[in-house]
Amino acid sequence: MGNPKAFITIKRKDGGYRPVKERTGDFGEVEQTLDEQDRREQASRCMDCGVAFCHWGCPVGSKIPEWQDAVYKGNWGEAYEILTSTNFMPEITGRICPAPCEKSCVLAIHKEAVTIRENECSVVEKAFDGGIVNPKPPKKRTGKKVAVIGSGPSGLSAADLLNKAGHTVTVFEQDDAIGGLLRYGIPDFKLNKGVIDRRLTLMEAEGVLFKTNCTVGKDISEKTLLTEFDAVLLAVGAMKARDLEVKGRELKGVHFAMEFLKQQNKVIRGDEFSETERLLARDKHVLVIGGGDTGSDCVGTSIRQKAFSITQIEILPQPPVERTDNNPWPYWPNTIRTSSSHEEGCARKWSLVTKQLIGDAEGNVTAAEVVSVEWVKDANGRMQMKEVEGSLEVIKADLVLLSMGFVSPLHDGLLDALELEYDQRGNVKASENNQTSLAKVFVAGDATRGASLVVHAIKSGRDAAVGVHRFLKELA
Ligand SMILES: Cc1cc2nc3c(=O)[nH]c(=O)nc-3n(C[C@H](O)[C@H](O)[C@H](O)COP(=O)(O)OP(=O)(O)OC[C@H]3O[C@@H](n4cnc5c(N)ncnc54)[C@H](O)[C@@H]3O)c2cc1C
Ligand code: SF4
């Protein structure tokens, strides 16, 4: 720890976002970064606490105080090595992780946590700029073959570790490009896709094999994979979106958030869509149903597409601004989150349930009928929803985007064909070492945890890789 008093003398300084007017005119990343001097000063604020709660708060167990010290001293290469010892793509988490580490940083008690996430991103960018990130293929191959199905962060994280352990890894992806939700869910204004490509180039140079446009269970059978590979890892995500079961759901202009976001990601890449296929918010009244991150991404995308108005509604009550007494530090704060997209302009409404969608004579959606709800505890202390009489409200909407979360992985096709066991929520059931009910088949990420975060997917991929590796060693 280089500067023991910096946390007293130096204030937290964020890179901040580009000005709203500028950033809403394009799909470039919204976040800015600090210069080297400021960044090193920010890293010097880390107190190197005896018990590093940030390390506990980070799902991949990042050795945060150690690499803050390296950043403070300007040892970018050392910082990169420490960082990547627990997370193989910190350039992604450094951009889009909600940073539970910062919420549990001891300095967060006084609201001035170390800028851990931004520091993380800077370390990787410095390392790439300085030419110190080079392919490190394994010295020896084990002769064992592993199939990873799904190329989101969990699949990639597992593929990286298994390849480095010397196994020959093939990643199968049903889409036309690698990355899972990093590629086709998260908007470019949060994560520029060149960042993913840069990492994939390294993985290819290290020997990971990628097969796109290949749906396992359709283009290649699960039986073939089980015969040709020594182990199979399912990293298929939780792609079953929660639907809105109300009258009017079938109207034109009502879409799942992912249809809208994925198409925009593809348009930015240069794909073209016909007028009838194109989902555009331009000049429309957009209603986003669901108050979470996916909904927020729909807001930011609609703003950039020049929507006339955007309203985001949520069934739960508005969270508090400050932590409540039963939600103390260092736990994740259940407080209101305002994203860069929210700041760009949208109406946010809470405690509203959608009763029906209304359409015109041509079958186009024109509005949504919603009512207010109260959340009250029942006799068992569970929160129950109660509609407020006389609270019916009509919200104008000619584009409705459903972003009410994801239920589970898709069972139809591959998972049912493998006859795997599911847990109560419909996720793939796994043992502690990520093994499924089939000995040779492992699972990672949202497919077993349920829809979550990139950092959890990365950790789950690492854990699954360890499980697969042990299994293969027993086979050897
Ligand atoms: C819009 C949106 C925004 C988000 N924003 C954030 C954020 O800002 N920060 C954050 O931390 N998290 C965010 N998340 C959550 C995060 O993206 C996911 O938790 C994470 O991507 C899950 O990783 P995964 O590897 O388990 O699955 P996924 O990323 O879902 O990848 C699964 C892959 O498997 C492929 N696949 C499925 N079945 C088959 C098959 N049979 N054959 C071949 N391939 C198959 C799919 O095509 C897909 O590419 C967001 C999620 C969404 C939807
Ligand atoms: S991965 Fe997320 S939680 Fe872990 S150090 Fe990075 S920003 Fe913090």
Side-chain angles (χ1 to χ4, degrees):
M1 180 190 177
N3 184 355
K5 293 214 173 128
F7 71 95
I8 302 169
T9 54
I10 297 168
K11 291 250 156 235
R12 176 180 167 116
K13 184 172 176 185
D14 293 277
Y17 301 129
R18 290 193 285 140
V20 171
K21 217 167 163 201
E22 177 196 309
R23 71 189 196 232
T24 52
D26 61 48
F27 279 85
E29 284 186 357
V30 296
E31 197 162 77
Q32 307 181 117
T33 190
L34 302 179
D35 64 22
E36 179 167 342
Q37 179 60 28
D38 277 345
R39 180 61 64 209
R40 287 175 60 179
E41 282 190 357
Q42 287 303 302
S44 77
R45 295 183 66 245
C46 174
M47 300 190 291
D48 192 15
C49 313
V51 178
F53 284 90
C54 55
H55 171 74
W56 164 85
C58 170
V60 293
S62 187
K63 298 164 191 164
I64 295 162
E66 290 173 38
W67 60 263
Q68 300 313 308
D69 188 50
V71 171
Y72 168 60
K73 291 175 177 152
N75 297 333
W76 298 98
E78 185 192 342
Y80 181 78
E81 288 305 321
I82 304 170
L83 196 46
T84 46
S85 68
T86 65
N87 177 358
F88 94 112
M89 37 180 12
E91 63 274 34
I92 306 284
T93 43
R95 284 175 165 81
I96 57 165
C97 186
C101 55
E102 291 186 25
K103 315 305 183 281
S104 54
C105 170
V106 174
L107 289 178
I109 298 172
H110 299 290
K111 301 206 176 71
E112 291 263 323
V114 174
T115 51
I116 302 169
R117 180 187 58 77
E118 287 190 21
N119 293 0
E120 178 169 307
C121 196
S122 293
V123 169
V124 196
E125 295 311 319
K126 272 271 176 202
F128 272 104
D129 288 352
I132 52 177
V133 187
N134 295 305
K136 287 184 191 152
K139 294 213 167 65
K140 239 176 42 194
R141 288 283 170 192
T142 61
K144 296 276 182 252
K145 287 166 67 186
V146 183
V148 174
I149 307 171
S151 68
S154 68
L156 293 179
S157 159
D160 175 67
L161 265 192
L162 287 164
N163 178 60
K164 287 195 169 124
H167 308 303
T168 302
V169 182
T170 309
V171 179
F172 293 88
E173 171 53 56
Q174 64 187 7
D175 254 317
D176 59 5
I178 297 292
L181 288 173
L182 302 177
R183 172 83 54 188
Y184 283 142
I186 298 172
D188 289 52
F189 56 80
K190 276 165 62 182
L191 174 65
N192 155 25
K193 305 310 170 209
V195 173
I196 310 172
D197 296 335
R198 188 174 61 180
R199 183 59 62 179
L200 293 177
T201 305
L202 275 172
M203 290 180 78
E204 273 174 330
E206 288 169 348
V208 178
L209 306 165
F210 292 104
K211 271 190 196 297
T212 49
N213 293 312
C214 183
T215 304
V216 177
K218 199 169 122 206
D219 300 315
I220 179 167
S221 80
E222 62 288 350
K223 288 198 183 88
T224 309
L225 279 198
L226 287 171
T227 317
E228 289 185 1
F229 289 83
D230 298 292
V232 172
L233 173 65
L234 301 168
V236 294
M239 300 170 71
K240 187 173 177 200
R242 186 165 288 114
D243 209 343
L244 183 69
E245 283 158 16
V246 298
K247 198 170 153 221
R249 167 65 180 89
E250 73 294 345
L251 290 166
K252 282 180 256 170
V254 184
H255 300 275
F256 281 120
M258 280 304 297
E259 296 172 54
F260 177 67
L261 295 173
K262 184 170 181 176
Q263 192 187 74
Q264 184 57 49
N265 285 146
K266 288 192 167 187
V267 168
I268 293 169
R269 186 181 64 180
D271 291 12
E272 285 179 11
F273 293 86
S274 68
E275 221 171 278
T276 44
E277 287 170 322
R278 185 77 172 110
L279 297 180
L280 262 186
R282 177 179 284 274
D283 298 332
K284 291 192 177 142
H285 294 284
V286 179
L287 174 64
V288 179
I289 303 184
D293 287 344
T294 305
S296 152
D297 290 345
C298 289
V299 170
T301 303
S302 300
I303 286 171
R304 283 159 182 74
Q305 290 186 359
K306 311 288 174 234
F308 189 82
S309 77
I310 305 162
T311 308
Q312 185 181 18
I313 63 170
E314 166 59 46
I315 199 166
L316 292 171
Q318 180 167 352
V321 176
E322 301 286 345
R323 285 177 184 275
T324 52
D325 289 347
N326 60 4
N327 175 219
W329 173 91
Y331 296 105
W332 175 260
N334 298 316
T335 50
I336 188 161
R337 288 173 67 196
T338 301
S339 69
S340 60
S341 297
H342 292 134
E343 285 172 4
E344 290 160 6
C346 86
R348 293 173 86 183
K349 296 183 170 199
W350 309 87
S351 301
L352 286 181
V353 70
T354 310
K355 297 302 285 181
Q356 68 163 322
L357 299 172
I358 301 164
D360 62 15
E362 277 82 50
N364 299 306
V365 70
T366 55
E369 267 186 18
V370 298
V371 293
S372 297
V373 289
E374 269 174 3
W375 289 89
V376 281
K377 278 193 182 152
D378 66 12
N380 300 318
R382 277 192 300 258
M383 295 306 274
Q384 295 289 337
M385 191 177 86
K386 208 173 121 213
E387 290 186 10
V388 178
E389 241 178 80
S391 65
L392 188 82
E393 192 186 329
V394 176
I395 301 177
K396 219 171 172 184
D398 31 29
L399 177 62
V400 175
L401 299 170
L402 308 177
S403 58
M404 297 167 299
F406 297 85
V407 183
S408 68
L410 294 170
H411 294 174
D412 284 356
L414 176 64
L415 299 187
D416 277 350
L418 284 169
E419 296 179 11
L420 296 173
E421 276 182 41
Y422 301 114
D423 66 16
Q424 281 175 334
R425 293 185 301 153
N427 299 318
V428 178
K429 203 168 169 180
S431 67
E432 249 177 42
N433 62 355
N434 290 60
Q435 201 163 20
T436 67
S437 46
L438 277 182
K440 210 176 176 179
V441 180
F442 290 73
V443 63
D446 283 5
T448 183
R449 186 187 169 93
S452 183
L453 295 173
V454 169
V455 65
H456 284 297
I458 291 174
K459 169 73 169 120
S460 177
R462 288 177 69 84
D463 291 345
V466 172
V468 172
H469 182 61
R470 282 197 190 126
F471 172 77
L472 294 176
K473 268 173 74 182
E474 279 165 22
L475 287 187

